Amino acid sequence: MGNRLSKIVTRTGDGGKTGLGDGARVDKFSLRIVAIGEVDETNSHIGVLLCEDLPQDVRAMLIDIQHDLFDLGGELSMPRHTLLGDAHVAKLDEWLAHYNADLPRLKEFILPGGTRAAALAHIVRTVARRAERAMVALGAEETVAPAPRQYVNRLSDLMFVLARVLNRAGGGADVLWQRDRAERNA
């Protein structure tokens, strides 16, 4: 693991470069740094979601995911180092199956919204998709293990399901896309 920060203001990034966990210096716009930033933003949005009144099992799951995302950021900052593996992806698959089991079958597309917690879960979903795209772009240029990319892909799926769960937990329902709305308003 890289060195822990003993001070926050180092001024070493003032010239547009930043340090990786292995000591290498890279441009702040490099694909690796973009991917790290997108994962960090995903984690931050989960932190905002955790400010909501959530079922205890959902809260515990999100905290676990935050730790995984922090590890993923560490893995991305140390090329050729592995912190997330197939077991992490399998854990998300189990949560997906658990939370999806009691949801009604979808017949229409869902719009982001409903309760505040559900809307925030949709934000996490979209930011996780962006993180996934950044990791795929990085993988086209450098070696990236498949499990971290799969993890972020499953996380976005889980956040979609979780938004539906949170709407029900908050006494609401999914916000459905209205296919014929444009025709009615024309």
Side-chain angles (χ1 to χ4, degrees):
M1 200 56 146
N3 294 330
R4 296 192 190 277
L5 295 176
S6 58
K7 62 181 182 174
I8 299 303
V9 179
T10 62
R11 294 179 176 79
T12 59
D14 288 352
K17 299 248 185 210
T18 191
L20 296 178
D22 65 358
R25 303 287 299 168
V26 297
D27 291 320
K28 288 188 175 188
F29 60 81
S30 75
L31 293 176
R32 185 167 296 279
I33 297 305
V34 170
I36 292 168
E38 301 295 354
V39 169
D40 187 32
E41 186 176 351
T42 303
N43 205 345
S44 294
H45 281 290
I46 291 174
V48 174
L49 177 56
L50 281 164
C51 294
E52 298 296 310
D53 184 24
L54 301 170
Q56 193 54 41
D57 61 321
V58 170
R59 180 172 300 285
M61 177 188 67
L62 290 173
I63 291 169
D64 195 22
I65 290 168
Q66 279 197 305
H67 283 84
D68 288 349
L69 289 174
F70 194 86
D71 288 343
L72 175 54
E75 180 170 336
L76 289 169
S77 77
M78 295 178 284
R80 296 167 300 285
H81 191 78
T82 303
L83 292 171
L84 262 63
D86 293 337
H88 293 89
V89 177
K91 178 176 57 175
L92 292 184
D93 283 334
E94 289 172 16
W95 284 330
L96 268 162
H98 169 75
Y99 287 108
N100 211 18
D102 295 330
L103 292 174
R105 190 169 164 255
L106 285 175
K107 296 178 184 172
E108 294 292 338
F109 290 107
I110 293 176
L111 299 176
T115 65
R116 180 176 164 81
L120 290 170
H122 277 293
I123 290 172
V124 174
R125 172 185 60 82
T126 61
V127 175
R129 285 283 183 220
R130 188 171 2 121
E132 179 187 13
R133 290 190 302 271
M135 291 173 65
V136 168
L138 174 62
E141 300 290 324
E142 301 180 39
T143 301
V144 177
R149 187 188 66 250
Q150 294 164 354
Y151 183 93
V152 176
N153 179 278
R154 293 302 192 296
L155 176 60
S156 62
D157 293 340
L158 178 60
M159 289 299 115
F160 178 84
V161 169
L162 185 61
R164 298 186 70 207
V165 167
L166 292 173
N167 268 333
R168 279 154 189 74
D174 297 322
V175 179
L176 301 178
W177 170 67
Q178 298 172 11
R179 176 188 334 237
D180 58 350
R181 184 178 174 279
E183 294 168 6
R184 285 191 318 242
N185 293 330

